[in-house]
Amino acid sequence: MTAGERSTAMRFPAYFAPGKAPVLSFEIYPPKTEKAMRDLDDALPRLVALKPTFITVTYGALGSTRERTLDVVERIRREYAVETASHITCVGASRGDVDRILERLRAASIENVVALRGDPPRGESAFVPVEGGFAHANELVEHIRGRGGFGIAVAGYPEKHVEAPDFETDLRNLKRKVEAGADCVITQLFFDNAHYFRFVERARELGIRVPIVPGILPAQSLGQVRRMTSLCGATIPPRLERALETAAPDEKAMEDVGVRWATEQCLELIERGAPGLHFFVLNRAGQMERILPAIRPSLEARLGPGA
Ligand code: FAD
């Protein structure tokens, strides 16, 4: 298929059908500046060459960021003929706003969304829905499912969501999202696979049957890993922290640590049946160009959904 031609869109359940190789997805964010947009334009052909099943684009709280999300989602699909999914959050969004976004996605033949509550705006400690909006992601999922026509992914937290009182309560809330109509779960980043395996096991015991796709962040630097884990509540294994400390401040050496760590994580996840891998690529291609060749044979050797 040449760039510019439209592929036939599929919804999430079809990607995870039995007999298919594990799903490979990349998550990017909409650039905020012209320079960042040029960087993404450089990275995109390289990321697309790695043959992801689909690319998802995150969604910010502000109106301008939302427009950029939709623009980027549409553009990637149009120019690269790669399936894309738009993230969509409840922040500042009424039901009417969500419907308008869904209409725009539908018009662009985008068939999948990642439905999230979103974080409270900077400076605010608690999430407050707009009048007539959604308090939790399960309400958003229910609304989108009611409208029909989209595959829906939701977020899951192997180390518990930061606001949840405990792991089990958070899992019960994940179940609400699945019961509301989510087709699959994409997890928050984690650096120790044991958290993912425990999460999947408990989810299955609770009756959550949909695919649970691990979210992988190739570490770039010690500062980045500390910043991101402090925001999302994930932990840094001491061995990874020591390796990054030893490599710092050499950027290339820290990236090498990130590549090796992510590759090891992925190989074990594939071997133990993860239904796919979702990479937080942060709009960069370099590390992915090293990780993918190392895991591709294992990915292709394993057919059919697992976890
Ligand atoms: P929810 O599922 O609503 O959960 C939020 C909290 O409320 C949890 O503690 C949960 O246990 C609790 N809860 C859930 N449902 C109920 C209920 N019915 N009653 C009582 N308590 C409940 N953020 C963005 O702004 N834009 C993005 O594009 C984005 N993409 C993401 C992609 C992935 C893969 C992941 C893992 C996260 C992403 N996030 C994004 C972050 C996400 O928005 C935050 O983690 C947010 O704080 C929670 O969103 P959620 O959809 O998990 O919310």
Side-chain angles (χ1 to χ4, degrees), residues 57-78:
V57 185
T58 64
Y59 190 87
L62 301 170
S64 59
T65 319
R66 280 180 204 169
E67 282 303 314
R68 269 199 295 270
T69 298
L70 299 176
D71 291 346
V72 173
V73 164
E74 289 173 5
R75 193 161 72 78
I76 296 176
R77 181 152 202 277
R78 198 174 54 239

Side-chain angles (χ1 to χ4, degrees), residues 139-158:
E139 296 172 17
L140 177 64
V141 172
E142 191 177 350
H143 183 80
I144 299 172
R145 184 55 76 215
R147 289 282 177 277
F150 288 95
I152 305 173
V154 292
Y157 302 87

Side-chain angles (χ1 to χ4, degrees), residues 58-59 87 116-119 137-138 157 161 170 173 176-177:
T58 64
Y59 190 87
H87 294 213
L116 305 137
R117 187 200 67 181
D119 286 317
N138 64 298
Y157 302 87
H161 183 256
D170 203 30
N173 287 329
R176 294 183 199 231
K177 297 195 270 196

Side-chain angles (χ1 to χ4, degrees), residues 100-164:
R100 278 185 286 281
I101 291 162
L102 295 178
E103 275 318 308
R104 183 165 160 192
L105 292 172
R106 209 187 301 275
S109 303
I110 309 296
E111 301 257 348
N112 295 295
V113 293
V114 183
L116 305 137
R117 187 200 67 181
D119 286 317
R122 198 166 291 166
E124 291 174 32
S125 57
F127 177 85
V128 182
V130 299
E131 201 166 323
F134 310 91
H136 289 288
N138 64 298
E139 296 172 17
L140 177 64
V141 172
E142 191 177 350
H143 183 80
I144 299 172
R145 184 55 76 215
R147 289 282 177 277
F150 288 95
I152 305 173
V154 292
Y157 302 87
E159 295 182 74
K160 168 186 109 53
H161 183 256
V162 278
E163 291 167 32

Side-chain angles (χ1 to χ4, degrees), residues 85-99:
S86 181
H87 294 213
I88 179 167
T89 76
C90 308
V91 180
S94 67
R95 276 150 214 270
D97 295 331
V98 168
D99 287 343

